[in-house]
Amino acid sequence: MSPPRATLVVSGQVVVAARADRLLLAEAIGIAGGRVVSAGERRDVVDGAAPGARVVDAGAAAVIPGIHDFHLHLVGMARARRDVTLDDATDMATIVARVAAADGRLPAGAWLTGGRWEQDVMAGDLSALRAALGERPALLTAHDGHTAWASPAALAAAALDVSSSIAGGRLERDANGQLTGVVRERAMLPLLAAAERLEGAGLGDALAETVEELLGWGITGATDAGDYDAERGIGTFARLGESFSRLWEARAVLDGRLRVTVDLPAAAIAAAEEMGLTTGASLAGTATLRAGWAKVYTDGTLGSRTAALFSPSTCRDGGDDDLGILRTPADELDAILAAARRAGIGIAAHAIGDRAAAAALDAVQRAVPRTAGQSPDRLEHAQLVRPADRARFAALDVTASVQPVHLVSDRDTADACWEGRLAHAYAYRSLAAAGARLVFGTDAPIERPDPWRNLHAAVRRNAPGDGRPPWRADEALELPAALAAATLGPAIAIGRSDEGHLAVGAR
């Protein structure tokens, strides 16, 4: 049986595949039935196409495989479109003004949500913010998503007071021992459980807008990074957490338009096993939705000063608290890995600090080996990794899931807080040289889902228009390696040989 003839021909500078050391190029590709059926010189591809085939000539422009954002939060992105936004606020007066304006648009008793504020702005006296909200329950998250500020009414709704203490988290107190409303890491969970959120048809509409935005960036695949816990789920997949279950409920918006892999909380591994879900498995009745990895948090973030470190942060007083928060102890990590191996589910371990990265890699090393065909585990962010741990990514077949755009946002904070170890920070070139499989994400909505800004950060080590010299230019990636991490790398990580490239047979 002869192969199908192309009904669509695309010509230009076609990147058939991006590999770590080079780009494989062609003049044109032919497509039929959703797959590449021919690639090579333009004349040959056009001559071999079906009569009346559509021909799109990109001229001098590059034609690349669809980008896969390997770490974002779709439900969070959708809700952020409706929330109050504080990421560009440079002082407390601006924050108070925006929050007061948003408060005036809400009915009595409704929650005010949003945020993405910067740590150095939401500092000092917060009395004006409390006064602006009065009895309104409000939850405003920080830029990194690992710290939030809660109004007095929100703290009361979550049953948090001066006597509260939460393992793996922190409730900040003032000089008099009273809660300031700032909560970090696991201390956010009661508030997240209590807060009202956009849902139903409103969430579906916002998700549809989010998909349009991603497609506009050239993103055809997305891995949703999942939730802190398995609470607030709905419907068929209620036990797998809110993100998984709500994305399933919105499948009509997603399926066939975006390849979506959805992670689940580590606490939901047993439930996923009962449902027969494994990492990479397609969700029944859908063409482009599939189950992802089990998310576990080993620490916090650089911005919240909760990344787990081997030596104290240099931007605080150097006390024991400045070693960050190791959110998941070793015995709990071991139990999660054991359950994941039995279920055929890979883990995605959030690790920002060097102590967290080592702890996650240690746990993978202690675990029983994966079975044949099981997707590799992932280490999310890998922002500070000791040289001794770099080679362990390849040795343990752990994917380094990184977000280069963070280095643009974090460079000043890293300079201040990680003095003496900056050679180990955002060390993408060194990780790749040690054999690590790099894949890129943006962590949207924490950052914009702009893959080009991400690639620019990886290759140029700064932001477009930033007049400063590249930050740690010795860790810059060459363009082929960066493009591979945005296209082919994610496909390899999830075991999809027909994605991430434009060779014959590719989707």
Side-chain angles (χ1 to χ4, degrees), residues 116-458:
R116 304 207 300 278
W117 45 267
E118 296 291 348
Q119 298 283 341
D120 58 348
V121 178
M122 189 78 99
D125 185 5
L126 301 176
S127 59
L129 184 57
R130 286 192 290 269
L133 287 161
E135 297 301 313
R136 171 86 60 196
L139 183 63
L140 304 173
T141 56
H143 172 82
D144 61 14
H146 285 248
T147 294
W149 179 83
S151 68
L155 291 170
L160 295 174
D161 56 31
V162 292
S163 67
S164 300
S165 177
I166 297 176
R170 184 187 306 144
L171 292 90
E172 301 289 0
R173 292 169 166 80
D174 62 20
N176 298 317
Q178 299 300 306
L179 297 183
T180 67
V182 175
V183 294
R184 304 191 190 277
E185 303 303 336
R186 286 183 179 265
M188 295 172 57
L189 298 183
L191 288 151
L192 293 171
E196 295 174 355
R197 299 177 170 201
L198 181 68
E199 54 188 26
L203 179 59
D205 291 343
L207 278 169
E209 294 171 19
T210 301
V211 171
E212 288 296 326
E213 180 183 6
L214 293 176
L215 294 173
W217 286 118
I219 296 169
T220 60
T223 295
D224 186 275
D227 302 319
Y228 282 103
D229 55 40
E231 306 300 322
R232 299 176 301 282
I234 61 171
T236 303
F237 292 117
R239 292 189 296 161
L240 304 188
E242 186 182 31
S243 290
F244 200 111
S245 60
R246 290 199 181 277
L247 292 175
W248 168 256
E249 294 295 322
R251 60 192 179 278
V253 172
L254 303 169
D255 192 33
R257 305 184 67 215
L258 193 67
R259 296 185 189 111
V260 182
T261 304
V262 191
D263 289 356
L264 52 118
I269 291 174
E273 184 178 17
E274 288 179 20
M275 298 175 187
L277 298 178
T278 58
T279 299
S282 296
L283 300 186
T286 68
T288 61
L289 271 62
R290 53 208 181 198
W293 289 260
K295 183 71 174 289
V296 57
Y297 287 85
T298 57
D299 71 342
T301 66
L302 167 61
S304 289
R305 314 298 193 263
T306 51
L309 307 170
F310 279 111
S311 57
S313 168
T314 53
C315 57
R316 297 182 70 177
D317 61 16
D320 288 343
D321 283 350
D322 294 341
L323 292 173
I325 296 176
L326 200 61
R327 289 182 50 160
T328 308
D331 58 346
E332 189 174 339
L333 281 175
D334 289 345
I336 290 169
L337 261 296
R341 291 291 188 266
R342 289 193 299 270
I345 295 172
I347 68 156
H350 167 109
I352 300 285
D354 52 3
R355 185 161 61 110
L361 293 168
D362 287 346
V364 173
Q365 188 165 343
R366 289 191 300 267
V368 299
R370 304 191 321 272
T371 57
Q374 185 174 343
S375 294
D377 300 310
R378 300 164 44 174
L379 198 149
E380 305 300 304
H381 309 302
Q383 290 177 199
L384 188 66
V385 179
R386 299 180 302 177
D389 288 324
R390 291 173 189 158
R392 300 174 72 194
F393 283 84
L396 299 171
D397 194 19
V398 172
T399 299
S401 172
V402 300
Q403 299 75 42
V405 68
H406 283 329
L407 75 85
V408 172
S409 302
D410 294 349
R411 61 182 290 179
D412 294 335
T413 307
D415 281 340
C417 296
W418 290 350
E419 187 178 343
R421 63 206 118 174
L422 288 173
H424 311 160
Y426 308 83
Y428 304 142
R429 191 182 188 95
S430 294
L431 278 168
R437 178 192 308 108
L438 294 182
V439 297
F440 286 174
T442 62
D443 211 1
I446 291 173
E447 305 283 357
R448 286 187 296 158
D450 179 350
W452 313 108
R453 186 178 176 88
N454 219 22
L455 289 166
H456 189 283

Side-chain angles (χ1 to χ4, degrees), residues 16 19 43 48 63 65 89 95 124 127 201 250 275 353 367 398 405 419 425 433 459 470-471 502:
V16 173
R19 295 185 177 171
R43 181 181 60 186
V63 177
I95 288 178
S127 59
M275 298 175 187
V398 172
V405 68
E419 187 178 343
V459 175
W471 188 62
L502 296 173

